[in-house]
Amino acid sequence: MCDDELIPPRADMTEEQWLRADPVLAEGPVGERVRQMGAPRRRTLLGGVMAGAAALAVLPGGTRAQAAAAAAPTGKFPLPTGPGRSGEYAVLLTGDAGTGEEAQHAVAAAAREICRAQGVGLAVGLGDNLYENGPESADDSEFRTKFEEPNSGVDVPWLMVLGNHDCSGLIPGSGGDPSRGDREVSYAKGSPRWYMPSRYYNVALPAHGRGEPLVEFFAIDTNPVSSYVAQLDPYYRWNGPYMREQRRWLDGALKASRARWKIVLGHHPYLNNGKHGSAGSYEGFVIGHYTSGIHLKELYEEVVCGRADLILSGHDHTLQILEPTTRTGGTRQIVCGAASKAGDGKAHFGYPATWQNFSDHGFMVLKVSERAMTVDAYTVDIATRRARLAHSVRTAAGREVLSRG
């Protein structure tokens, strides 16, 4: 959630219970949103990007979708087919970007210069792609104003994941309506940048002269097990069909992967020293099936830790490169959620960190080769739109990683 948003008064309330428990909230901007949702409204359509009427579809990743029947995409930026001349892939990492405000444009402008200088061929968007409530349709004008326009010039595929703001219900950022994320899947059919073939998916990038991938990304949807409110739709409940299928998919995909490096992308972090806390105790909650994120903690610990090299997350508006530990099975947690909003300037927890920043805007660049994986963290001065390399960490191939089979 955003720094200026509310935390539910107790764990696992429904959105209606939350509104009844706080009449001031119900009468304010949130109440206005509820009233607006009661009457159909429409934002300006994106000319030439999406077209057609909505049609029911079943998308990869086991999702039920309200998908737009889009025109055949043209001009899609292709996935990289091999490492660059330096023998490595360079990947831009951003998170929590989609405000459309000056800070987003400044970070994107700074990142654009770094991408050009370093030959970045792929980008990652770690959720909260469209503040504050996600898209109203698959052709919402906010895709243009909060994604396409700020990122113009970073002309590469963007591996996108869903954040809580992309799946808002009545309350902005609640994660109370996961089905809204299907609109972002539908939008990907017509955007040259936005890559989201389904709500969760994997992408493997090949090595030079080898059949096995050099790096593989596994994008997951963390919202149904870390929403701020209880899920009402049985399909999206913490133990419902959607999460059971996603868990089976992720477990099988990680087992089957022969990539040298394995990287999991999920909006909500496993470990986090910022104000939102870690999975299992988000916002200080340690009870309930949703608000605390206890079942996301289980998913990370039982399926991901020890198998993946990295977990990349946003949600907290900070920049953190945490240390891999015995607890994580050698997996390193990175939080990169400062592409449009910044943190409160202080650490709230004490997990071992290689480097962390709780006050600046910024982004990161991941570089992957046969020999090593490097993460460069950049902070951005919003006034000048200039990036500064703040820290770099390198993980050599062949290091010991606890295996989970």
Side-chain angles (χ1 to χ4, degrees):
M1 287 181 109
C2 302
D3 296 333
D4 56 353
E5 286 178 352
L6 300 172
I7 305 302
R10 61 180 182 273
D12 289 12
M13 304 177 78
T14 67
E15 289 186 301
E16 290 80 3
Q17 289 171 333
W18 187 352
L19 290 169
R20 287 197 299 270
D22 191 346
V24 175
L25 176 67
E27 291 302 317
V30 172
E32 178 60 27
R33 167 169 164 76
V34 173
R35 289 185 286 275
Q36 288 177 345
M37 291 182 69
R41 61 192 178 94
R42 189 183 180 110
R43 294 190 181 124
T44 305
L45 298 184
L46 282 175
V49 176
M50 298 288 294
L56 287 175
V58 179
L59 296 174
T63 66
R64 303 176 306 178
Q66 198 67 1
T74 58
K76 297 287 285 186
F77 298 125
L79 291 166
T81 57
R85 291 182 180 179
S86 61
E88 63 186 14
Y89 290 101
V91 183
L92 172 66
L93 309 179
T94 69
D96 301 70
T99 64
E101 297 174 354
E102 171 58 22
Q104 181 188 6
H105 282 268
V107 171
R112 183 161 51 244
E113 295 305 311
I114 298 298
C115 289
R116 288 171 177 167
Q118 301 195 9
V120 164
L122 187 69
V124 169
L126 290 166
D128 284 356
N129 308 312
L130 298 179
Y131 284 106
E132 298 288 333
N133 307 310
E136 298 300 323
S137 68
D139 47 18
D140 194 319
S141 63
E142 289 193 348
F143 284 111
R144 171 175 53 83
T145 59
K146 297 181 178 180
F147 178 74
E148 301 288 355
E149 290 178 354
N151 296 314
S152 176
V154 186
D155 298 336
V156 299
W158 289 67
L159 308 185
M160 306 298 288
V161 300
L162 294 169
N164 50 297
H165 279 272
D166 303 305
C167 299
S168 291
L170 298 177
I171 299 172
S174 69
D177 186 2
S179 67
R180 290 173 67 91
D182 293 330
R183 299 165 185 172
E184 297 194 2
V185 175
S186 297
Y187 176 74
K189 300 177 189 300
S191 168
R193 293 178 182 81
W194 193 291
Y195 187 96
M196 187 186 279
S198 57
R199 299 173 65 101
Y200 52 88
Y201 59 91
N202 54 316
V203 170
L205 302 181
H208 271 316
R210 287 177 48 195
E212 294 181 352
L214 176 58
V215 58
E216 188 164 3
F217 296 90
F218 305 83
I220 63 174
D221 176 9
T222 59
N223 289 285
V225 284
S226 52
S227 55
Y228 281 84
V229 295
Q231 295 296 331
L232 297 180
D233 185 344
Y235 183 69
Y236 287 110
R237 287 177 183 161
W238 71 269
N239 60 348
Y242 177 77
M243 286 308 303
R244 293 199 304 269
E245 176 57 33
Q246 183 175 192
R247 182 186 173 113
R248 283 194 296 268
W249 166 81
L250 181 60
D251 184 40
L254 284 169
K255 282 183 178 178
S257 177
R258 294 297 177 263
R260 173 62 192 87
W261 305 100
K262 303 177 184 66
I263 300 172
V264 171
L265 316 175
H267 178 67
H268 297 82
Y270 170 45
L271 299 179
N272 168 37
N273 284 330
K275 64 179 292 186
H276 292 312
S278 301
S281 57
Y282 289 139
E283 313 303 341
F285 291 103
V286 293
I287 61 173
H289 292 301
Y290 298 98
T291 316
S292 69
I294 184 63
H295 298 296
L296 179 58
K297 179 177 185 287
E298 294 169 353
L299 179 66
Y300 280 137
E301 291 180 345
E302 296 171 8
V303 178
V304 176
C305 288
R307 287 177 172 168
D309 296 280
L310 295 179
I311 299 171
L312 303 182
S313 306
H315 193 50
D316 211 274
H317 302 149
T318 55
L319 301 166
Q320 303 172 53
I321 303 175
L322 302 184
E323 286 284 356
T325 63
T326 302
R327 170 180 173 173
T328 68
T331 299
R332 182 191 295 275
Q333 170 74 67
I334 290 178
V335 179
C336 185
S340 190
K341 302 188 179 189
D344 62 1
K346 60 183 178 180
H348 291 253
F349 303 93
Y351 295 109
T354 301
W355 175 85
Q356 50 193 353
N357 181 299
F358 299 95
S359 57
D360 290 316
H361 294 84
F363 60 92
M364 299 184 188
V365 174
L366 170 70
K367 300 173 184 175
V368 185
S369 71
E370 288 279 359
R371 299 181 302 278
M373 182 168 54
T374 302
V375 179
D376 294 336
Y378 292 86
T379 57
V380 175
D381 181 86
I382 300 303
T384 63
R385 298 190 169 195
R386 298 298 297 273
R388 180 183 70 88
L389 179 61
H391 190 82
S392 184
V393 61
R394 184 175 185 270
T395 300
R399 65 176 177 81
E400 182 178 1
V401 177
L402 302 181
S403 175
R404 295 185 65 90

